[in-house]
Amino acid sequence: QVQLVESGGGLVQAGGSLRLSCVASGRTVSIITTAWFRQAPGKEREFVAHIRRTTGNTYYTDSVKGRFTISRDNAKNTVYLQMSSLKPEDTAVYYCAAALNSRLGVSPGEYNYWGQGTQVTVSS
């Protein structure tokens, strides 16, 4: 079992920055990929970015490239999402997810564990 706890969400003005954290506990050595997803009201859950635990390789959805950076600190079992140049359309609940298998990593169905989510609100 793996437990994930997100933090760092909040209210920020457009153009501002936030850093989200995802702390994993339990069988963390079994995690292959950690991702951030987001879900806005009335919309489906959307892939944002992921990072491979051993290689550190990253992948982003096009809408956040150049603005968001995903990183990891394996010693702390923590994955971060640094968000800059935030836009009102980034407003959503952001979820951390962990996958035990190595796949493409952009579909929610590929992930085995989820955090409870943290709200990010960007005002215009």
Side-chain angles (χ1 to χ4, degrees):
Q1 289 289 331
V2 173
Q3 295 79 41
L4 304 171
V5 178
E6 304 99 331
S7 63
L11 173 64
V12 64
Q13 288 188 334
S17 300
L18 280 175
R19 188 177 81 159
L20 306 183
S21 299
C22 172
V23 179
S25 60
R27 293 185 57 83
T28 58
V29 294
S30 62
I31 297 172
I32 299 297
T33 304
T34 302
W36 289 95
F37 286 80
R38 64 187 180 186
Q39 189 166 18
K43 295 188 176 181
E44 293 187 353
R45 195 163 294 190
E46 172 191 30
F47 169 79
V48 176
H50 73 56
I51 188 165
R52 307 293 189 185
R53 189 178 69 85
T54 54
T55 65
N57 290 341
T58 60
Y59 184 75
Y60 299 88
T61 193
D62 285 346
S63 63
V64 307
K65 285 180 181 177
R67 300 190 298 122
F68 291 10
T69 302
I70 189 170
S71 61
R72 78 200 192 301
D73 184 337
N74 287 346
K76 296 182 178 180
N77 291 319
T78 302
V79 170
Y80 304 97
L81 186 68
Q82 177 68 47
M83 305 185 295
S84 302
S85 302
L86 282 161
K87 304 175 182 179
E89 52 263 43
D90 295 317
T91 295
V93 177
Y94 282 70
Y95 296 91
C96 176
L100 308 184
N101 298 305
S102 180
R103 297 181 182 177
L104 188 59
V106 300
S107 170
E110 300 178 68
Y111 288 84
N112 306 94
Y113 300 99
W114 292 84
Q116 82 287 352
T118 184
Q119 176 71 46
V120 172
T121 303
V122 184
S123 63
S124 57

Short mmCIF file of all heavy atoms in Angstrom, two decimals, residues 6-12 18-21 36 83 92 94 117-121:
data_model
loop_
_atom_site.label_atom_id
_atom_site.label_comp_id
_atom_site.label_asym_id
_atom_site.label_seq_id
_atom_site.Cartn_x
_atom_site.Cartn_y
_atom_site.Cartn_z
N GLU A 6 -1.13 15.48 -0.48
CA GLU A 6 -0.77 16.72 -1.18
C GLU A 6 -0.89 17.91 -0.25
O GLU A 6 -1.69 17.91 0.70
CB GLU A 6 -1.68 16.96 -2.39
CG GLU A 6 -1.76 15.86 -3.41
CD GLU A 6 -2.99 15.01 -3.23
OE1 GLU A 6 -3.46 14.90 -2.10
OE2 GLU A 6 -3.50 14.47 -4.24
N SER A 7 -0.15 18.95 -0.57
CA SER A 7 -0.26 20.22 0.13
C SER A 7 0.25 21.32 -0.79
O SER A 7 0.87 21.05 -1.82
CB SER A 7 0.54 20.21 1.44
OG SER A 7 1.92 20.03 1.17
N GLY A 8 -0.03 22.57 -0.40
CA GLY A 8 0.52 23.71 -1.13
C GLY A 8 -0.46 24.47 -1.98
O GLY A 8 -0.11 25.49 -2.57
N GLY A 9 -1.69 23.99 -2.07
CA GLY A 9 -2.66 24.71 -2.86
C GLY A 9 -3.07 26.02 -2.20
O GLY A 9 -2.71 26.30 -1.06
N GLY A 10 -3.81 26.82 -2.95
CA GLY A 10 -4.29 28.09 -2.40
C GLY A 10 -4.83 28.99 -3.47
O GLY A 10 -5.08 28.56 -4.60
N LEU A 11 -5.01 30.25 -3.10
CA LEU A 11 -5.53 31.28 -3.99
C LEU A 11 -4.37 32.17 -4.41
O LEU A 11 -3.60 32.65 -3.57
CB LEU A 11 -6.60 32.10 -3.27
CG LEU A 11 -7.13 33.32 -3.99
CD1 LEU A 11 -7.85 32.91 -5.28
CD2 LEU A 11 -8.07 34.11 -3.06
N VAL A 12 -4.25 32.38 -5.71
CA VAL A 12 -3.17 33.21 -6.24
C VAL A 12 -3.69 34.02 -7.41
O VAL A 12 -4.63 33.58 -8.10
CB VAL A 12 -1.97 32.32 -6.66
CG1 VAL A 12 -2.35 31.39 -7.80
CG2 VAL A 12 -0.75 33.14 -7.00
N LEU A 18 2.85 28.97 -7.40
CA LEU A 18 2.58 28.10 -6.26
C LEU A 18 3.45 26.87 -6.40
O LEU A 18 3.78 26.47 -7.52
CB LEU A 18 1.11 27.66 -6.21
CG LEU A 18 0.07 28.61 -5.66
CD1 LEU A 18 -1.32 27.99 -5.83
CD2 LEU A 18 0.32 28.93 -4.20
N ARG A 19 3.77 26.24 -5.27
CA ARG A 19 4.47 24.97 -5.31
C ARG A 19 3.66 23.94 -4.54
O ARG A 19 3.38 24.12 -3.34
CB ARG A 19 5.87 25.05 -4.72
CG ARG A 19 6.65 23.75 -4.95
CD ARG A 19 8.08 23.80 -4.44
NE ARG A 19 8.15 23.58 -3.00
CZ ARG A 19 9.26 23.18 -2.38
NH1 ARG A 19 10.37 22.96 -3.07
NH2 ARG A 19 9.26 23.03 -1.07
N LEU A 20 3.27 22.89 -5.24
CA LEU A 20 2.55 21.79 -4.63
C LEU A 20 3.54 20.70 -4.21
O LEU A 20 4.56 20.49 -4.88
CB LEU A 20 1.53 21.19 -5.58
CG LEU A 20 0.53 22.15 -6.21
CD1 LEU A 20 -0.46 21.37 -7.08
CD2 LEU A 20 -0.20 22.96 -5.17
N SER A 21 3.22 20.03 -3.12
CA SER A 21 4.04 18.91 -2.65
C SER A 21 3.18 17.66 -2.51
O SER A 21 2.00 17.76 -2.15
CB SER A 21 4.66 19.23 -1.28
OG SER A 21 5.51 20.35 -1.36
N TRP A 36 0.95 14.34 -11.49
CA TRP A 36 -0.05 15.31 -11.06
C TRP A 36 -1.16 15.33 -12.11
O TRP A 36 -0.87 15.42 -13.31
CB TRP A 36 0.54 16.69 -10.90
CG TRP A 36 1.44 16.82 -9.72
CD1 TRP A 36 2.80 16.69 -9.69
CD2 TRP A 36 1.05 17.11 -8.37
NE1 TRP A 36 3.27 16.87 -8.43
CE2 TRP A 36 2.22 17.13 -7.58
CE3 TRP A 36 -0.17 17.34 -7.75
CZ2 TRP A 36 2.20 17.38 -6.22
CZ3 TRP A 36 -0.20 17.59 -6.39
CH2 TRP A 36 0.98 17.60 -5.63
N MET A 83 4.56 25.67 -10.04
CA MET A 83 3.68 26.27 -11.03
C MET A 83 3.95 27.76 -11.09
O MET A 83 3.85 28.45 -10.06
CB MET A 83 2.22 26.00 -10.67
CG MET A 83 1.91 24.52 -10.48
SD MET A 83 0.15 24.21 -10.19
CE MET A 83 -0.06 25.01 -8.61
N ALA A 92 -8.26 24.42 -10.45
CA ALA A 92 -8.73 23.04 -10.38
C ALA A 92 -8.31 22.46 -9.04
O ALA A 92 -7.52 23.06 -8.30
CB ALA A 92 -8.13 22.20 -11.50
N TYR A 94 -5.98 19.73 -7.66
CA TYR A 94 -4.80 19.02 -8.16
C TYR A 94 -4.58 17.77 -7.32
O TYR A 94 -4.55 17.83 -6.09
CB TYR A 94 -3.57 19.94 -8.09
CG TYR A 94 -3.55 20.93 -9.21
CD1 TYR A 94 -4.46 21.98 -9.26
CD2 TYR A 94 -2.62 20.83 -10.25
CE1 TYR A 94 -4.46 22.89 -10.30
CE2 TYR A 94 -2.61 21.73 -11.30
CZ TYR A 94 -3.53 22.77 -11.32
OH TYR A 94 -3.52 23.67 -12.36
N GLY A 117 -6.24 15.40 -2.89
CA GLY A 117 -6.37 16.60 -3.72
C GLY A 117 -6.14 17.88 -2.94
O GLY A 117 -6.36 17.94 -1.73
N THR A 118 -5.68 18.90 -3.66
CA THR A 118 -5.50 20.23 -3.07
C THR A 118 -6.00 21.27 -4.07
O THR A 118 -5.75 21.17 -5.27
CB THR A 118 -4.02 20.46 -2.70
OG1 THR A 118 -3.88 21.72 -2.03
CG2 THR A 118 -3.10 20.45 -3.91
N GLN A 119 -6.77 22.22 -3.57
CA GLN A 119 -7.41 23.21 -4.44
C GLN A 119 -6.43 24.31 -4.83
O GLN A 119 -5.75 24.89 -3.98
CB GLN A 119 -8.61 23.84 -3.72
CG GLN A 119 -9.30 24.95 -4.50
CD GLN A 119 -10.07 24.42 -5.69
OE1 GLN A 119 -10.81 23.44 -5.58
NE2 GLN A 119 -9.89 25.07 -6.84
N VAL A 120 -6.40 24.60 -6.12
CA VAL A 120 -5.64 25.74 -6.66
C VAL A 120 -6.64 26.66 -7.35
O VAL A 120 -7.37 26.21 -8.25
CB VAL A 120 -4.56 25.28 -7.64
CG1 VAL A 120 -3.93 26.47 -8.34
CG2 VAL A 120 -3.50 24.46 -6.92
N THR A 121 -6.68 27.90 -6.94
CA THR A 121 -7.58 28.88 -7.52
C THR A 121 -6.75 30.06 -8.00
O THR A 121 -6.01 30.66 -7.23
CB THR A 121 -8.63 29.35 -6.52
OG1 THR A 121 -9.36 28.21 -6.03
CG2 THR A 121 -9.60 30.32 -7.17
#
